[in-house]
Amino acid sequence: MRAPAARHGRGADLLPSARVSKHVPPRIPGLVDTHCHLDYPPMIDDLDATLRRAAAAGVDRLIHIGCSRRSMARAVELAEAERPGLPPVYAVIGVHPHEATTLDEATLAELEALAASPRVLAIGESGLDYHYNRSPPATQQAAMARHIDLANRLGKPLVLHIRDAHDDALAIVDAQPCERPGIIHCFTGTPDEGARWLDRGFFLSFSGIATFPSATALQEAARACPGDRLLLETDAPYLAPVPMRGRKNEPAYVAFTCARLAALRGQDPADLALQAAANAERAFGLPPAAASVSSPPSS
Ligand SMILES: [Zn+2]
């Protein structure tokens, strides 16, 4: 989550998705959106329609993030619900660094209890955000350490949100290693910072920011990322990729990011989608795609 206006930062002036865009995401079979916040409007207002549009773009699995005391239980509910013919939703739960001050013993106990669900694939998003510093750095660092401990005890991977804080985050992980390879969601660091996380076995997940013309250092990191460590995400409703920039993002738009990253890496988009999906299966223990996901008949 980069910055929801109400709770976590910028993006207040997003165009309502109701204004129909002439841009339709390319259809790239086998896409996985490894990070989205489906419990935000307008996605949640008609979740089946949101998932149908995602399926039309080739998305066959989604990972939804519940990263606050308020949204953790809802995330498990969303993931456990059956939606025949629609792409399955899995969950990742934790407390966002912006809300690290709320991580008390009761919240940690609830998080641990909820994480017992088989639909909860990972713990997070935790991490450090020194860009907004919505919680004091020391509190964020302590909360991150508690999340590493919990993820290790549960044998689940950890999803990290790191912004302007790679040095401290790397130092915490060096002092308290993750037993399973973790995931840096919405990676926005430099190629060097990317290499340091890769050296520690982490996966790097790229969002729509990688499609922005000005994101040249990030595009360099995306080009340099080994094929077996790259993940794709939207962080919807935030960070809509070009050509939807400034609008509410949604899982279907991961296809735009896949197409752009494939061009950057000199790859076929369909190959990158399948490679990133295989990486998501390894990183999260994501079950294979359900054969039952019906995508609309190709015109
Ligand atoms: Zn985030």
Side-chain angles (χ1 to χ4, degrees):
M1 180 189 296
R2 264 297 161 227
R7 285 185 255 176
H8 295 300
R10 76 182 132 94
D13 52 354
L14 288 177
L15 288 175
S17 58
R19 278 175 59 186
V20 178
S21 163
K22 62 178 183 306
H23 300 287
V24 176
R27 180 175 163 70
I28 306 174
L31 282 166
V32 176
D33 183 355
T34 64
H35 194 107
C36 53
H37 301 266
L38 297 170
D39 53 347
Y40 280 87
M43 292 183 289
I44 198 65
D45 300 338
D46 188 345
L47 186 54
D48 284 9
T50 301
L51 296 174
R52 262 195 300 278
R53 288 193 300 275
V59 177
D60 63 23
R61 287 159 289 177
L62 301 90
I63 300 179
H64 163 76
I65 315 297
C67 57
S68 67
R69 218 170 13 187
R70 288 176 308 278
S71 64
M72 287 190 289
R74 183 85 197 281
V76 177
E77 259 174 53
L78 270 175
E80 290 181 345
E82 297 285 334
R83 297 181 197 86
L86 293 173
V89 175
Y90 297 90
V92 169
I93 56 174
V95 174
H96 194 283
H98 290 344
E99 307 207 19
T101 51
T102 70
L103 187 68
D104 54 21
E105 295 310 320
T107 303
L108 206 56
E110 188 191 349
L111 173 55
E112 180 158 359
L114 288 167
S117 165
R119 301 294 287 199
V120 173
L121 302 183
I123 299 298
E125 56 191 283
S126 176
L128 306 175
D129 189 312
Y130 294 171
H131 182 81
Y132 285 105
N133 266 327
R134 292 279 157 87
S135 288
T139 308
Q140 294 184 47
Q141 292 160 11
M144 180 175 161
R146 305 293 301 266
H147 280 81
I148 294 174
D149 172 63
L150 178 64
N152 285 348
R153 280 193 294 110
L154 297 177
K156 296 191 187 222
L158 181 69
V159 174
L160 290 176
H161 167 119
I162 308 295
R163 192 161 182 194
D164 302 348
H166 287 280
D167 290 346
D168 282 5
L170 285 155
I172 291 172
V173 165
D174 286 348
Q176 191 186 356
C178 295
E179 282 164 20
R180 281 187 59 171
I183 297 103
I184 307 298
H185 111 82
C186 194
F187 179 75
T188 52
T190 63
D192 171 63
E193 286 161 341
R196 291 158 71 195
W197 286 108
L198 292 165
D199 288 347
R200 288 158 179 80
F202 276 68
F203 292 81
L204 302 181
S205 183
F206 294 90
S207 72
I209 297 178
T211 70
F212 299 171
S214 58
T216 50
L218 179 58
Q219 287 159 4
E220 196 41 52
R223 237 186 244 111
C225 183
D228 64 352
R229 299 287 199 81
L230 188 150
L231 300 170
L232 299 168
E233 69 172 67
T234 60
D235 204 11
Y238 317 104
L239 306 174
V242 171
M244 308 306 281
R245 193 172 177 180
R247 291 173 176 276
K248 295 263 183 182
N249 199 0
E250 63 176 66
Y253 298 168
V254 75
F256 288 120
T257 303
C258 180
R260 181 75 186 104
L261 284 182
L264 280 169
R265 293 168 59 86
Q267 276 185 273
D268 179 276
D271 294 342
L272 179 60
L274 294 179
Q275 196 173 31
N279 298 342
E281 289 176 5
R282 280 197 345 272
F284 290 96
L286 180 69
S292 63
V293 172
S294 59
S295 50
S298 52
S299 51

